[in-house]
Amino acid sequence: MTNHVPHPNHDRGLEFDLSTMMSRRSLGMFFGAGGAVAALAACTPGGSGSTASTTTSAASESAAATGTSSATATPSASPTLTRAIAECGVEIPAETAGPYPGDGSNGPNVLTASGVVRQDITASFGTGSAQAEGVPLTLTLTLLDNANGCVPLAGAAVYAWHCDRDGRYSLYDSGLTGENYLRGVQEADANGQVTFKSVFPCAYSGRWPHIHFEVFESMSNATAAGQVLAVSQIALTQAACDDVYATAGYETSVTNMKRTPLQSDNVFGDDGGIYQLATMTGSAATGYTAGLNVTI
């Protein structure tokens, strides 16, 4: 079992990435919503202070259960999506992309590679051949436009990436510079949703288990590593992590997670990840689904 030692600069905080992020961050805001979701614009943010991040739409659970891409499923305004819009109001916290983004800001750029637009990110594409092993994880993000009544950001795009079961990042770690697994881009459907099929990441030394993502105002911007609307991270729940890390292949994660609890993590620790903690269902035996509403 590889005991991954992270790069000494790994996830040092927002300041570490500020110089590269600011050069690529959009100065504007994407105000796009139409078609079947236009009627949802009347649902304005509530004043209850409820956390939209912890609400998973029925559409995302359906996509996770069937393995169907959210981009091809027939969109519908589910009650949970309507509720998310009504409770929306707190924007997703801006976080570091870390030293392994693979977006051209720190070395390799996977975003301009043919094949990066995909739902299943478990295997490398192009000239890569590696397959990430681990407990299956299906992740759905719902993008909401905070400046436009929290309507879904249809047509926006998400680039998601994370480490493997051993805490290694493709494109960067030794032996993986020619691989690009656990990285991919998806375009948001009319519900503002993107879905990725992946594997459960490990807990490596110094960090709570997490997934990175960047939101772009359009697919063309994403695949050109262009204007970025948001850079953040998803925190995985302790219950799901405890369950997964009790299985073979995740042995080092048990010790690493105990050393860095969520409240002490240098990314989520300031607020306990309240706006970034995914809603998770499933089991290590059958796989997990995770959902997060991302207000931008």
Side-chain angles (χ1 to χ4, degrees), residues 261-279:
L262 181 62
Q263 292 75 16
S264 300
D265 184 76
N266 64 358
V267 170
F268 306 123
D270 55 347
D271 60 5
I274 186 172
Y275 302 114
Q276 296 155 280
L277 191 64
T279 295

Side-chain angles (χ1 to χ4, degrees), residues 17-275:
D17 290 339
L18 198 54
S19 61
T20 55
M21 286 169 57
M22 287 303 294
S23 65
R24 300 175 54 240
R25 186 179 298 276
S26 172
L27 296 178
M29 181 61 66
F30 178 63
F31 302 124
V37 298
L40 295 177
C43 299
T44 55
S48 62
S50 299
T51 303
S53 308
T54 56
T55 306
T56 306
S57 77
S60 68
E61 293 181 356
S62 174
T66 62
T68 303
S69 169
S70 63
T72 58
T74 301
S76 61
S78 67
T80 49
L81 177 60
T82 303
R83 176 184 170 187
I85 294 170
E87 295 178 348
C88 171
V90 179
E91 294 186 2
I92 192 77
E95 306 290 6
T96 174
Y100 309 129
D103 60 2
S105 63
N106 184 27
N109 188 353
V110 74
L111 294 178
T112 57
S114 176
V116 72
V117 179
R118 59 199 186 130
Q119 183 188 58
D120 190 336
I121 63 174
T122 55
S124 290
F125 61 91
T127 59
S129 60
Q131 173 83 33
E133 302 294 333
V135 172
L137 174 66
T138 299
L139 170 68
T140 296
L141 300 180
T142 302
L143 311 179
L144 302 172
D145 187 349
N146 189 49
N148 195 26
C150 285
V151 295
L153 276 169
V158 173
Y159 166 44
W161 74 97
H162 62 84
C163 70
D164 63 16
R165 185 171 62 180
D166 297 318
R168 303 176 301 167
Y169 282 85
S170 66
L171 298 177
Y172 292 90
D173 272 291
S174 177
L176 296 178
T177 55
E179 304 293 344
N180 48 34
Y181 62 53
L182 305 182
R183 299 178 184 274
V185 174
Q186 280 281 290
E187 183 176 26
D189 64 13
N191 283 329
Q193 293 179 327
V194 297
T195 297
F196 295 94
K197 179 182 178 182
S198 190
V199 296
F200 210 99
C202 84
Y204 56 77
S205 180
R207 282 301 317 275
W208 182 262
H210 62 282
I211 296 172
H212 296 265
F213 69 95
E214 294 178 344
V215 181
F216 296 81
E217 64 178 3
S218 68
M219 179 65 82
S220 61
N221 273 333
T223 54
Q227 296 175 330
V228 181
L229 294 182
V231 180
S232 195
Q233 298 181 28
I234 304 160
L236 305 181
T237 64
Q238 181 164 354
C241 290
D242 287 342
D243 184 30
V244 171
Y245 295 162
T247 64
Y250 288 96
E251 290 82 1
T252 60
S253 292
V254 177
T255 302
N256 288 334
M257 195 171 75
K258 289 179 180 178
R259 290 174 178 169
T260 308
L262 181 62
Q263 292 75 16
S264 300
D265 184 76
N266 64 358
V267 170
F268 306 123
D270 55 347
D271 60 5
I274 186 172
Y275 302 114

